[in-house]
Every structure is written in structure tokens, then in C-alpha cells.
């Protein structure tokens, strides 16, 4: 995939299809109709038919003949002008790219026009994100190309000299963000026989080398030395060793305390001895989506060259049943000396996160945000649309809310009232790892809260990270959620 910016007139851009985004609002629609039919007369019957009205996500394809260098033009609706948002543009670009791909186009050119007061850089970024992310498929294992597998590979943004600089800036940022989201999707969708703890660590090291952050991998011996009983406990049923991946990007002022991002890295979650049902278990190859989001974000901020101090921490292991696995009733001791009774071996994410949250303390962080596919309960509460947000740091939560507004990666806060604590009280240890079905996402977060000593936000992405179906520019399966959200927050801190 590649993105370029051109200041040529729309009819002289060489590509497979020109895309024009058109609002439904009468005045603007009329202006577009007039200008378009004047330069490309082949569009006259399209407009005369009134099939295309500029309704949101509507598309119309016409052939340009000798009127343009491109053989096709695709009109794409934006809906009412006053209602156009950045998300409208992402979705419209996605709809247009899909229509183009279905007609076998590999190179599309989209005209960037300011609409509803949104600046040119933001529009360019949105178009790049929507068009390119819509073309994603985890298809590297397909040796037989599917018949509907044609993809757009090249995107040109058409603008004028006055907006060239802003459009280029937005397109460049969009491109880096798309790469970060794509990395997170690839990691999350990779099966466990490709991405398991050691290969996840290697991948993080490679990404760090290429994009410019330092990666340290703590191996099993080091994890034992640090007495990380949570990570070791979950790992003890597995033949593959655990790792703790630590990524440091320190490009901010020396005096700035780092923001630490922690990502759950369960490369496959069978449930362990409290084993999950067979149906749908393959989704649990994505139980390291939190880790994927953190690695994808580290790559993105490094490539954008943000002047910030950010640390990424990923505890990684499989959760397997075996003769050596944890069993219910076992009591484990974490890095900070606290103990937990295992009530359900399927509540493993909080056990490995507990040690990672203790480890984060070394960085004296300004705040810690963890991302985890932590509970089925959050899927029941918020579905695949909204990420469950909990924590102790209202300021960071406001920042995340503001970033969510822009990226459309919604977050919604759930309460951590003290009254829920009794659900995870244990007769034998400090706490137990499951509070049962009631308030499952909250009790999971309250478990984590026992291990934090700094401002903290927990994002439960079990629903938003593993999508049941594709929509607009978001793919089915591992969605890459979190990369755009965190990057947006960090860019505008
Ligand atoms: N990885 C799962 C949560 C999950 C469920 C993620 C569905 C994505 C989709 C987690 O480890 C888990 O199994 N949680 C249990 C906790 C329970 C045993 C307290 C759950 O939610 O059922
Ligand atoms: Mn589990
Ligand atoms: Zn899990």
C-alpha cells in the first residue's frame, strides 16, 4: 500500500478510479453536479437518473471515456453537510474504496475538499484511515486467492497548491496510524502457532528496531527472579515459556514522568483447568489484543516522532490445561507479596496483569493505562461497540473520552464502588481471582486495583477487540482497537 498527494486537476490524474465525496445538502450537491458534468459529460445521465442523491455511504460508478485520464469515477455520498464528522469521512472513504476494489481497481484517487469546517489535514488523515483500513484482511495464509479478494493498493489524494502542505501532513500521519493499526490487527489475528510468547517478544524487538524504541525481554529465569507468581502461575500448565516485554520510548523531556501502557498478552486462552467450551474457542487466539494494541501504539508514536516518554509493558503466556496447570483452590503470590486464591483458572488475565502493574511502579509513572480482553461480562454490558473503562485517574479518563470522540473508538466508564470488593474477598488469601457472574468487569478491575500505586485507567477491550463482523473500515476479528485512541490522546496531550 502507498499514499501520494497530487495537485493535478481531477480529470488528468492517472489512476483506476477517481473518487468524489459529495454532500446531500442541496446547494453543495448542485455545485458538485455542475462542476462535475462540465468536466466529465458522462456524468450527466448519472445525475439525471437521480439514482445518486449524496445520501451517506451511497455510491455511483460511471465510466469517463475520453473525458478523464482515469477510466472510472465513483461518486460517494456524505449525507447532510452539517452532520459530516471525521467519522463520516472515514466511512465514506471506506465505502468508496470497497466499491473500487469490487470493480478491480488497484489505484484510487480521492479529491480532498474541506467540508463542515473540518481542516484539510484532518480530512486527509480520515480519508487515508478509512480507505486503507477498509482493505485489510488477515489473508496471508490463503494460498488460493479468493475471487472477491481484489484490493486497492495505492491511494492518491487530490488537492490544490493552497492545501498541499496540510493534506500531505494529514496523509503522512494517517499512513503511520494505518500501519500501527494493521500491525495490531495482524498480531491479534495471528494464530497461536505463529504468535506465542517468544515470537510476540521477537516481533516487539523487530518493531522497536525499525521504528525507534528500546525493547527488553525478561525471560522465564528473570520472571522467576522477580517472583512474578501471577505470570508464572498462569504459565505453569504450558510447555511454552512466558515472557515480559518492556518497550521504552523516551523522547520527551528528562523531567517528564512516563506514561505506561500495559497490554494483556495471553496468546491463547483455553481457560486452563476451568476449560472453556469448544464452540468459538478459536477467538481466544486474540486474547493478546491488549498486547497488540500496545505494540501497535508504540510503533505509531515512534514513527510519528512524538516528544513524549512512553513505556509499554506486555506480560505474555498461554493459558493451558495440563497436569502441571493451576487448579482452583491454589494460592499464588505476586511480585509485591500479595496473595490470591484461584477460584477459576479462566480468570487468568488479571493474574498476569497484576505482576505487570507491579513492575510498572519502577517507572514512577505519571499514569498507567492497561488494555485487556479481560471479561466476557463487558461484551454483555457494552457489546462490540464500546470499550469498558474503569480506574482511579479521572483526568486520563477525560483525555481518553476526548480522543474517543475523534477516533470513534468509544469508551464508557463503569464504577469501582467499594461495595463490589466483597465479591472477590477470599477466606484463605488476600483476594480471589473471580467474583462470579455479577458485575464481572468491575470485579476484574477491582482485582487489578489491588496492584496499582499510581493514577490508573483500565480499558476492557474484550468486546471491541474481537469483532463478530466487519463494518465500514473495521474488520472482523482482531480490530486493532486502541491504537488510534491512544495515539490521538498522546498527539494532543
Ligand atoms: N479472555 C477472557 C475474556 C474474553 C471473553 C475475551 C470473551 C474476549 C471474549 C478471560 O480470560 C476470561 O475468560 N474471563 C472470564 C472470567 C471469569 C472466569 C471470572 C469470563 O469473562 O468469563
Ligand atoms: Mn480466561
Ligand atoms: Zn483471557
Amino acid at each position: 500500500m502507498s499514499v501520494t498527494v497530487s495537485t493535478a486537476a481531477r480529470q488528468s490524474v492517472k489512476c483506476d478510479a477517481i473518487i468524489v465525496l459529495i454532500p446531500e445538502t442541496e446547494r453543495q450537491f448542485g455545485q458538485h453536479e455542475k462542476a462535475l458534468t462540465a468536466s466529465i459529460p458522462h456524468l450527466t445521465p448519472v445525475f439525471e437518473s437521480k439514482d445518486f442523491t449524496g445520501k451517506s455511504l451511497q455510491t455511483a460508478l460511471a465510466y469517463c471515456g475520453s473525458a478523464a485520464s482515469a477510466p472510472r469515477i465513483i461518486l460517494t455520498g456524505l449525507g447532510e453537510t452539517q452532520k459530516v464528522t471525521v467519522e463520516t469521512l472515514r466511512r465514506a472513504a471506506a465505502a468508496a474504496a470497497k466499491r473500487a476494489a469490487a470493480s478491480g481497481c488497484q489505484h484510487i484517487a480521492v479529491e480532498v475538499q474541506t467540508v463542515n469546517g473540518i481542516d484539510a489535514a484532518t480530512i486527509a488523515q480520515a480519508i487515508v484511515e478509512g480507505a486503507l483500513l477498509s482493505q485489510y484482511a488477515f489473508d496471508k495464509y490463503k494460498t488460493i486467492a479468493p475471487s472477491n479478494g481484489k484490493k486497492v493498493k495505492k491511494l492518491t489524494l487530490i488537492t490544490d497548491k493552497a492545501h498541499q502542505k496540510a493534506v500531505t501532513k494529514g496523509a503522512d500521519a494517517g499512513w503511520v496510524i494505518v500501519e500501527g493499526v494493521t500491525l495490531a490487527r495482524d498480531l491479534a489475528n495471528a494464530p497461536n502457532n505463529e504468535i506465542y510468547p517468544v515470537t510476540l517478544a521477537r516481533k516487539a524487538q523487530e518493531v522497536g528496531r525499525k521504528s525507534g524504541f528500546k525493547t527488553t525481554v525478561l525471560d522465564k529465569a528473570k520472571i522467576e527472579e522477580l517472583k512474578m507468581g501471577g505470570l508464572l502461575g498462569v504459565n505453569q500448565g504450558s510447555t511454552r515459556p512466558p515472557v515480559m516485554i518492556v518497550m521504552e520510548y523516551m523522547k520527551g523531556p528528562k523531567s517528564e514522568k512516563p506514561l505506561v501502557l500495559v497490554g494483556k498478552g495471553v496468546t491463547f486462552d483455553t481457560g486452563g483447568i476451568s476449560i472453556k467450551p469448544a464452540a468459538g474457542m478459536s477467538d481466544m487466539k486474540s486474547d493478546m489484543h491488549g498486547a497488540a494494541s500496545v505494540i501497535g501504539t508504540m510503533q505509531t508514536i515512534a514513527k510519528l516522532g512524538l516528544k513524549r516518554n512512553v513505556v509499554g509493558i506486555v506480560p505474555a503466556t498461554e493459558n493451558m490445561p495440563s497436569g502441571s496447570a493451576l487448579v482452583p483452590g491454589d494460592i499464588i503470590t505476586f511480585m509485591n507479596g500479595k496473595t490470591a486464591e484461584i477460584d477459576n483458572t479462566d480468570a487468568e488475565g488479571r493474574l498476569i496483569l497484576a505482576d505487570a502493574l507491579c513492575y510498572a511502579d519502577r517507572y514512577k509513572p505519571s499514569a498507567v493505562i492497561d488494555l485487556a480482553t479481560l471479561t466476557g461480562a463487558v461484551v454483555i454490558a457494552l457489546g462490540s461497540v464500546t470499550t469498558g473503562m474503569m480506574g482511579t485517574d479521572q483526568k486520563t479518563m477525560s483525555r481518553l473520552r476526548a480522543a474517543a470522540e475523534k477516533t470513534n473508538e468509544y469508551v464508557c466508564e463503569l464504577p469501582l464502588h467499594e461495595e463490589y470488593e466483597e465479591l472477590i474477598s477470599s477466606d484463605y488469601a488476600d483476594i480471589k481471582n473471580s467474583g462470579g457472574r455479577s458485575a464481572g468487569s468491575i470485579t476484574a478491575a477491582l482485582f487489578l486495583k489491588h496492584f496499582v500505586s499510581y493514577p490508573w485507567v483500565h480499558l476492557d477491550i474484550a468486546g471491541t477487540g474481537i469483532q463478530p463482523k466487519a463494518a465500514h473500515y473495521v474488520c472482523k476479528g482482531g480490530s486493532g482497537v486502541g491504537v488510534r485512541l491512544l495515539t490521538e490522546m498522546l498527539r494532543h496531550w
Side-chain angles (χ1 to χ4, degrees):
M1 283 202 284
S2 70
V3 181
T4 56
V5 176
S6 166
T7 54
R10 82 158 69 98
Q11 20 354 324
S12 57
V13 174
K14 289 202 179 65
C15 59
D16 299 320
I18 307 163
I19 287 153
V20 186
L21 308 177
I22 304 177
E24 188 175 9
T25 308
E26 216 176 297
R27 203 170 69 85
Q28 281 93 345
F29 188 85
Q31 285 167 350
H32 276 282
E33 174 174 355
K34 217 169 137 206
L36 279 164
T37 48
S39 65
I40 305 170
H42 302 68
L43 282 170
T44 309
V46 176
F47 283 106
E48 272 173 2
S49 74
K50 302 253 188 288
D51 283 359
F52 179 79
T53 59
K55 248 178 64 184
S56 177
L57 304 185
Q58 194 182 42
T59 59
L61 187 148
Y63 296 94
C64 307
S66 56
S69 305
R72 305 170 192 83
I73 183 161
I74 299 172
L75 310 181
T76 306
L78 287 175
E80 292 291 338
T81 306
Q82 330 80 266
K83 290 190 188 149
V84 172
T85 63
V86 194
E87 179 66 5
T88 314
L89 294 161
R90 276 187 215 107
R91 291 182 180 185
K98 282 184 195 165
R99 180 72 194 261
S103 299
C105 302
Q106 295 204 332
H107 179 188
I108 60 172
V110 185
E111 229 174 48
V112 179
Q113 304 148 36
T114 41
V115 56
N116 204 15
I118 308 172
D119 67 278
T122 306
I123 292 180
Q125 184 188 325
I127 292 172
V128 170
E129 288 177 359
L132 298 187
L133 289 175
S134 77
Q135 299 299 294
Y136 176 87
F138 185 72
D139 53 8
K140 69 175 180 183
Y141 287 101
K142 282 198 177 286
T143 64
I144 307 159
S147 59
N148 61 350
K150 292 191 192 110
K151 282 193 212 171
V152 170
K153 298 208 172 87
K154 190 169 176 206
L155 169 64
T156 297
L157 296 181
I158 309 172
T159 184
D160 53 22
K161 284 253 164 9
H163 294 98
Q164 188 178 9
K165 224 175 133 187
V167 167
T168 306
K169 198 172 153 237
D172 288 349
W175 169 249
V176 169
I177 291 164
V178 167
E179 278 190 303
V181 175
T182 303
L183 169 63
R185 288 179 176 181
D186 278 342
L187 289 172
N189 288 315
N192 189 48
N193 59 356
E194 176 190 337
I195 291 290
Y196 46 90
V198 167
T199 54
L200 184 65
R202 266 188 221 138
K203 194 76 199 176
Q205 282 171 318
E206 181 197 321
V207 171
R209 213 165 36 240
K210 287 186 181 156
S211 57
F213 59 80
K214 183 181 154 204
T215 309
T216 311
V217 179
L218 313 187
D219 62 7
K220 190 174 176 184
K222 187 75 193 167
I223 293 165
E224 280 168 347
E225 191 188 310
L226 289 166
K227 298 194 163 56
M228 294 182 164
L231 181 54
L232 289 166
V234 175
N235 180 254
Q236 75 189 40
S238 175
T239 52
R240 292 187 177 120
V243 293
M244 182 79 83
I245 308 166
V246 183
M247 296 159 280
E248 296 174 0
Y249 176 77
M250 299 296 202
K251 295 288 158 68
K254 269 223 157 62
S255 59
E256 182 193 280
K257 288 175 165 185
L259 175 78
V260 175
L261 305 174
V262 174
K264 171 178 171 181
V266 174
T267 61
F268 196 84
D269 181 11
T270 64
I273 293 299
S274 314
I275 199 162
K276 288 180 183 293
M281 201 203 269
S282 67
D283 273 358
M284 288 301 116
K285 68 180 185 173
S286 304
D287 206 21
M288 33 58 75
H289 199 309
S293 304
V294 170
I295 297 169
T297 303
M298 294 302 292
Q299 169 177 294
T300 308
I301 61 168
K303 286 194 174 182
L304 288 173
L306 297 195
K307 301 272 176 284
R308 294 293 319 268
N309 296 329
V310 182
V311 175
I313 301 178
V314 167
T317 177
E318 302 167 327
N319 184 23
M320 293 293 191
S322 81
S324 61
L326 278 177
V327 297
D330 279 355
I331 294 174
I332 60 175
T333 306
F334 298 94
M335 187 182 171
N336 66 351
K338 284 201 183 177
T339 60
E341 175 190 352
I342 307 303
D343 177 65
N344 188 319
T345 65
D346 199 9
E348 84 297 341
R350 64 201 75 182
L351 304 179
I352 70 169
L353 288 169
D355 281 326
L357 291 169
C358 293
Y359 191 82
D361 211 20
R362 310 194 150 192
Y363 289 94
K364 302 279 158 262
S366 60
V368 174
I369 302 173
D370 79 72
L371 294 96
T373 47
L374 204 61
T375 66
V378 87
V379 190
I380 302 300
L382 302 172
S384 55
V385 177
T386 308
T387 291
M389 179 167 77
M390 287 145 272
T392 59
D393 181 5
Q394 284 301 330
K395 210 163 154 195
T396 301
M397 285 195 251
S398 304
R399 287 183 164 129
L400 285 164
R401 261 184 227 108
E405 208 57 53
K406 301 238 177 74
T407 59
N408 228 59
E409 293 189 326
Y410 302 130
V411 293
C412 179
E413 187 183 359
L414 301 175
L416 293 185
H417 300 306
E418 196 205 326
E419 285 84 344
Y420 292 109
E421 270 288 342
E422 66 172 341
L423 294 169
I424 53 166
S425 72
S426 164
D427 292 337
Y428 312 109
D430 298 337
I431 39 176
K432 66 178 181 191
N433 80 329
S434 160
R437 282 163 60 81
S438 140
S441 305
I442 292 170
T443 52
L446 279 174
F447 184 97
L448 299 179
K449 190 166 172 264
H450 283 269
F451 301 88
V452 305
S453 48
Y454 35 67
W456 161 73
V457 180
H458 160 62
L459 297 174
D460 193 334
I461 58 168
T464 51
I466 309 172
Q467 291 289 331
K469 60 174 177 41
H472 307 294
Y473 56 89
V474 181
C475 61
K476 181 183 157 119
S479 65
V481 73
V483 175
R484 291 189 306 113
L485 178 72
L486 294 169
T487 301
E488 176 69 25
M489 185 192 74
L490 284 160
R491 279 178 91 191
H492 302 106
W493 191 271

